[in-house]
Amino acid sequence: MRLIRRLLTLIPLTWVIVTLSFFLVRVAPGGPFDKERRPASPQVEAALKHKYHLDESLGAQYLRFLGLKWERDDTGAWHRAEGGLIAGDFGLSLKYRNHSVADIILQGLPVSLVLGWLAFGFAIGTGIPLGVFGAVRARGWAGGLSALAAISMVCVPGFVVGPVLVLIVGLKLGWFPVGLWGSPAHAVLPMVTLGLYFSGRVARLAREGMVQALQSDFIRTARAKGVDEFGVVFRHAFRLAIMPVVSYSGPMLADLLTGSFVVENIFQIPGIGVFLVNASLSRDYPMVVGLVMLYAVLLLGLNLVVDLTYGLLDPRVRHE
Amino acid sequence: MLVSPNAPGIPPGAFCVLGRHWRRILGVLLTMGWIGCTRAPEADVVIHNTSEPETIDPHILTGQPDGRIGAALFEGLTRFDPQTGRGIPGLAERWDISADAKTYTFHLRPGLTFSTGEPLTAEDVVWSWNRAVAPETAADYVNFYFYVVNGKAIANSTNPPSLRPPLGIRALNSLTVEVQLVNPTPFFLDLCAMRIMAVVPRHAIERFGDQWVRHDPMPCSGPYQLVSWRPNAGIRLKRNPRYWDVANVRSETIDVLSGDSPSAALNLFLTGRIDFLVDKTVLPTELADTLKQRPEFHPFNYLGSYFVRFNCTRKPLDDSRVRRAMALVIDKRRLVERITRMGERPADALVPPGTDGYDGAHGLGRSALDARTPKEFDAAMAADIAEAQRLLAEAGFPGGRGFPRLAYMFNAGGGGGARMHEQMGVEMQAMFRRHLGIDIDMRPLEYKTYLTDMSHLNYDLIRGSWIGDYNDPTTFLDLFLSDSGNNRTGWKNARYDSLIERAAGTRDTAARFQLLREAETLLVRDEAPILPLHYYVGMFAYDPEVLGGVYPNMTDEHPFSAVYRKKLRGGGK
């Protein structure tokens, strides 16, 4: 029941976000067809706007976008304008005029998804051990070193990590391809570049979580009962310790799965992240709205999943 | 519509309790990985083309990356010579030109077909040109048809097609096309090689409308046909076996990659993944000094001009003395030596030298550019600066007193040359302050805002540039006609307009160039609505031992059909 209610609230929320983006992107100066040189004839400019319905009023454009615009055809009969959101159609990209928004997303998203999942796996796979290790050895120099490593991973941005990796591992050592997409080897450098920051965040969260968990009463009880240290850490404390990581996973995944402009740019990867930035710069209205909607759905959906996961991990949440 | 796979949200960190989900996550990952990893066998030649093409419809496309694909897929009556970049026989094997040079009769090669087998006749040429010029097609470059009788009237017509005058082209028989021109147009055969004059498949366009290029197989009239097109990844081209000159199409398959990052392109080139960086903007400008020393990097001059526009509708820039004063104090040598560093030639005029034998105007600051020794140069600059100060005082601002604070706008961000624009602005700012005592603010703008402000004359000084379309001075000089949409300075000059118009009606080359030179002199010496800074230099990258068929030329045309690999691909360089 609660799940259905949560799911239902997603619809108006998404609608608000999409509507806002629809109007905001149109407020920005310039339009999709403004270029370094102007069309040779004002009629061409007019025809172009007409073709993509940019000569209509904002309200009419919005109705058309939703798929709720009614218009007369040549015979004078009323009918609903083709396409629109209710038909699941975002329309054609105004920059890449031979591709629909859906087309571009469907081509680029799988690549970004693969890269995102890999980076997610990398972040979790390296971040949690690093954090847990740091918490268990909190008082020694090794713990300090792991904390330092985590903070540097958070602080050094991808546009530094990427080129350095390319230079050393790609160009100097020649171990991995320096760009493009197409084989597992191609994914290694981008995965590390994209995942490193998140790995650092995860490590810090896991460390904090573990430090707190190890201080809680049930751990003391477990120790008192004679559970060995490995059991204390991994069987008892671990579940509680990764709670912060779990709540962070939702936004992190949404971030990773929608592609990264920086990483896709550095490695020339045909994902969706490049489009997210370029679409707004080139005033590609339908593309912006489509991508914002994709991002919104992913973010809201993943947050919901995270909330549900709490219940699985912590019995106290389930009972509430 | 966009369903994310059912696995997300199960954090792998929870594996101790969610063990049974592990397999599913792995499964989804592997499936997606596989989708991302399938790849076609390597092409004969891999070309990096910078930006993703916006469209490949030859009549609609405007960008240079789009144009390279367009030229590989579609051909017109003429095509570009890979060496000279000029128009040579294409679908037409020869032509006759009338005595007044206003009627061209083109003779098509017999037996032409589209790549899909349909015959290509004179009627297709006529239909294609009529499609391109019709306002409904919304072709930005329709101005190339203004040289043809009624072209301008049709493009500007608000009437339905039936009420428009006929375009000056007709098919005399299935192999002969006659074209009527408004004026003798010495560069007309170059124009016929432009994409917007290419022959397109009527049957496909009438059937599929605007999206005809997405329907497989797309009928092509050029040396290549389209195999696949993945946005922002690449386009694969395959030799068109029905192309009339198929024997001379050197490479069977070509991969054309898109990507906006110069560093990524350079890395891929250095590791041997890309054979040819064809676009002059694709190399990181920061590395220009180093790269031009290496044998794989080839700088070349082309038809491009970099300048500053003055807003001639705003005070005090409406006074030509102020504009001339500002133009005189700029040390352009310093700008190209310190900032652009690619070997650009500093400019005193708009039309790049080497444009089809045209000897351009001498603009403001010419003596400094002609100086051979540093001493000569200093003397010339000093004289120019003194003259500038005199002009500014005459305009009512002695020593810059009372001069309003103006702003210099330029597009920033978006990589490549954008940082260079700012550096140029800062240098000029210092020169204006030092020599004229006037202050200019720097105002970086996002690209579309920059374009909008420029078009609406919402600026004081703004960065400008122009890339010529064909090898004739008018591709630059037409820009500043009073009614030109690309003028964007507010400067209108009846004498300039009439000189250009008279030149258009003149057959004799020397006399025609003389008229154009007079007009250009008006533009860059007497009136100065623009301040020319330098002529562009392009640089492309290929290893001459690996790749053949690439030649530098002024029009920056490098047909893919001529490009071929000399050596098998082998590892990094």
Side-chain angles (χ1 to χ4, degrees), chain A residues 287-303:
Chain A
M287 195 73 201
V288 169
V289 176
L291 288 170
V292 165
M293 177 149 171
L294 170 71
Y295 192 81
V297 168
L298 265 175
L299 191 64
L300 295 172
L302 288 171
N303 271 333

Side-chain angles (χ1 to χ4, degrees), chain B residues 483-498:
Chain B
D483 64 349
S484 157
N486 289 310
N487 180 317
R488 300 188 275 200
T489 58
W491 180 73
K492 291 188 164 110
N493 189 298
R495 187 157 164 259
Y496 183 85
D497 294 353
S498 88

Side-chain angles (χ1 to χ4, degrees), chain B residues 214-231:
Chain B
R214 292 300 310 284
H215 287 269
D216 197 37
M218 170 177 69
C220 298
S221 54
Y224 283 91
Q225 50 188 331
L226 186 68
V227 177
S228 63
W229 182 7
R230 295 194 58 202

Side-chain angles (χ1 to χ4, degrees), chain A residues 173-187:
Chain A
L173 300 173
W175 290 352
F176 295 109
V178 294
L180 301 180
W181 194 247
S183 74
H186 284 95

Side-chain angles (χ1 to χ4, degrees), chain B residues 35-368:
Chain B
I35 295 169
C37 290
T38 45
R39 195 162 51 132
E42 220 150 275
D44 296 340
V45 173
V46 182
I47 299 178
H48 193 290
N49 193 27
T50 59
S51 306
E52 167 69 19
E54 298 179 7
T55 173
I56 55 172
D57 184 329
H59 292 169
I60 310 279
L61 61 85
T62 57
Q64 233 182 336
D66 314 26
R68 296 195 189 101
I69 307 283
L73 298 173
F74 300 96
E75 191 163 296
L77 294 169
T78 61
R79 61 186 168 135
F80 287 110
D81 182 309
Q83 302 200 25
T84 63
R86 306 299 300 256
I88 54 168
L91 297 181
E93 59 181 346
R94 61 197 168 82
W95 44 80
D96 309 311
I97 305 174
S98 67
D100 64 356
K102 292 209 245 181
T103 306
Y104 281 64
T105 311
F106 291 94
H107 304 280
L108 299 190
R109 297 172 195 277
L112 291 173
T113 64
F114 284 99
S115 59
T116 41
E118 298 83 357
L120 189 163
T121 66
E123 283 300 338
D124 289 295
V125 182
V126 174
W127 188 86
S128 296
W129 284 28
N130 274 293
R131 173 198 186 236
V133 78
E136 303 77 56
T137 306
D140 280 11
Y141 276 15
V142 70
N143 51 309
F144 291 133
Y145 285 95
F146 291 3
Y147 304 96
V148 179
V149 165
N150 288 332
K152 192 166 187 174
I154 299 170
N156 287 318
S157 170
T158 47
N159 291 328
S162 55
L163 295 177
R164 292 175 198 156
L167 186 66
I169 178 171
R170 62 194 178 113
L172 300 182
N173 57 51
S174 70
L175 287 177
T176 319
V177 180
E178 186 192 84
V179 179
Q180 303 283 346
L181 300 182
V182 182
N183 285 309
T185 309
F187 46 88
F188 183 66
L189 292 169
D190 290 345
L191 291 186
C192 290
M194 305 294 298
R195 288 76 177 159
I196 195 167
M197 312 248 2
V199 177
V200 292
R202 175 181 191 168
H203 50 284
I205 297 173
E206 284 182 340
R207 189 158 159 222
F208 300 116
D210 280 347
Q211 293 308 322
W212 64 278
V213 295
R214 292 300 310 284
H215 287 269
D216 197 37
M218 170 177 69
C220 298
S221 54
Y224 283 91
Q225 50 188 331
L226 186 68
V227 177
S228 63
W229 182 7
R230 295 194 58 202
N232 230 19
I235 284 179
R236 168 155 293 196
L237 302 172
K238 191 165 172 275
R239 193 186 278 146
N240 169 6
R242 292 194 169 91
Y243 179 59
W244 64 269
D245 195 21
V246 65
N248 290 312
V249 179
R250 304 292 300 262
S251 302
E252 168 75 22
T253 50
I254 296 185
D255 271 347
V256 188
L257 307 185
S258 353
D260 288 320
S261 161
S263 332
L266 182 63
N267 293 337
L268 290 168
F269 178 74
L270 292 176
T271 51
R273 281 292 295 121
I274 288 174
D275 303 307
F276 183 21
L277 301 183
V278 65
D279 199 289
K280 57 197 172 289
T281 62
V282 82
L283 290 163
T285 43
E286 305 88 83
L287 299 178
D289 286 335
T290 328
L291 294 182
K292 70 181 180 206
Q293 312 295 339
R294 302 183 50 158
E296 309 98 299
F297 297 87
H298 314 267
F300 62 99
N301 292 317
Y302 69 97
L303 297 173
S305 236
Y306 189 103
F307 51 87
V308 175
R309 281 186 165 88
F310 291 112
N311 185 344
C312 302
T313 64
R314 279 194 186 169
K315 282 194 180 313
L317 296 170
D318 57 343
D319 186 337
S320 74
R321 288 172 299 189
V322 173
R323 303 193 298 259
R324 273 149 59 208
M326 294 180 79
L328 280 166
V329 298
I330 299 299
D331 176 355
K332 296 155 186 174
R333 273 196 188 176
R334 185 182 161 91
L335 299 181
V336 296
E337 281 162 14
R338 294 226 167 181
I339 301 173
T340 59
R341 303 204 313 266
M342 200 93 105
E344 284 85 355
R345 295 160 297 176
D348 64 325
L350 176 66
V351 183
T355 308
D356 200 23
Y358 167 77
D359 186 16
H362 290 200
L364 296 167
R366 173 71 176 211
S367 45

Side-chain angles (χ1 to χ4, degrees), chain A residues 155-228:
Chain A
C155 290
V156 183
F159 57 81
V160 175
V161 177
V164 169
L165 283 177
V166 166
L167 192 67
I168 298 172
V169 188
L171 292 176
K172 286 257 153 58
L173 300 173
W175 290 352
F176 295 109
V178 294
L180 301 180
W181 194 247
S183 74
H186 284 95
V188 174
L189 298 187
M191 173 187 80
V192 176
T193 309
L194 184 58
L196 206 62
Y197 164 84
F198 293 96
S199 169
R201 293 281 312 256
V202 166
R204 303 197 56 205
L205 290 171
R207 181 190 162 98
E208 270 166 47
M210 185 54 91
V211 166
Q212 271 187 9
L214 287 176
Q215 287 164 357
S216 46
D217 294 339
F218 74 90
I219 293 296
R220 200 171 306 133
T221 314
R223 285 217 170 101
K225 279 178 161 174
V227 179
D228 62 89

